[in-house]
Amino acid sequence: MSNKFINDVSSNTYSVKPVVVINNNLYLSTHSLNIDGVTTYNIVKDIPRVSEKIELLEEGAIQIPYLSISLINYGKSIEGYKTFSALYGDRGLSDKSIDVYYISQSINTLEEAVKVFTGFIRKAKHTKQIFTIEAE
């Protein structure tokens, strides 16, 4: 963890927000932020849920870290498209890399952020309102 992050969260008042980076070029968050000179699209609906369990299953398979994230699929224009699903659909993100970071109020680079997940998108599905990404 960076000293900036530690100092921020050690104060009486602090703010921590997620930053989701897909394929190293699509930046998403719960708020519009400027990270590494890139403005994030504020379409992350909730703080991403990350499962960190690693266990050996009975049949010898390994359960690895898992991420589920819900995005707002309407009302936010992304690269000229009216919805996130119009841009990416259900299969457009398959096997793309995904990283999740947490930033605090004084952080404006990913280098200073706390990385909590790294993986690949395995599944995407959507309704008119919500676009859900599952990764491992």
Side-chain angles (χ1 to χ4, degrees), residues 51-63:
S51 169
E52 289 288 338
K53 273 201 298 194
I54 298 177
E55 40 182 84
L56 184 60
L57 303 177
E58 243 179 71
E59 61 276 3
I62 296 176
Q63 183 178 350

Side-chain angles (χ1 to χ4, degrees), residues 14-127:
Y14 64 90
S15 174
V16 176
K17 297 175 181 75
V19 175
V20 178
V21 181
I22 297 175
N23 211 33
N24 294 320
N25 64 2
L26 180 62
Y27 288 59
L28 312 173
S29 186
T30 52
H31 296 76
S32 183
L33 307 168
N34 191 313
I35 302 294
D36 290 331
V38 177
T39 301
T40 63
Y41 292 105
N42 61 331
I43 63 168
V44 175
K45 185 178 184 308
D46 297 310
I47 303 291
R49 295 181 314 266
V50 178
S51 169
E52 289 288 338
K53 273 201 298 194
I54 298 177
E55 40 182 84
L56 184 60
L57 303 177
E58 243 179 71
E59 61 276 3
I62 296 176
Q63 183 178 350
I64 57 177
Y66 169 85
L67 168 76
S68 178
I69 184 169
S70 296
L71 307 175
I72 298 167
N73 192 35
Y74 63 93
K76 307 279 184 175
S77 178
I78 296 179
E79 297 178 16
Y81 291 86
K82 290 185 180 179
T83 65
F84 193 79
S85 60
L87 180 58
Y88 288 106
D90 290 340
R91 299 184 193 269
L93 294 175
S94 292
D95 297 321
K96 303 280 189 222
S97 65
I98 184 167
D99 298 300
V100 178
Y101 300 84
Y102 284 105
I103 64 161
S104 54
Q105 64 268 21
S106 67
I107 291 178
N108 55 17
T109 69
L110 291 181
E111 189 175 296
E112 299 168 321
V114 176
K115 186 185 273 190
V116 295
F117 182 85
T118 253
F120 292 91
I121 297 172
R122 297 297 177 217
K123 186 177 179 183
K125 58 186 176 183
H126 66 88
T127 65

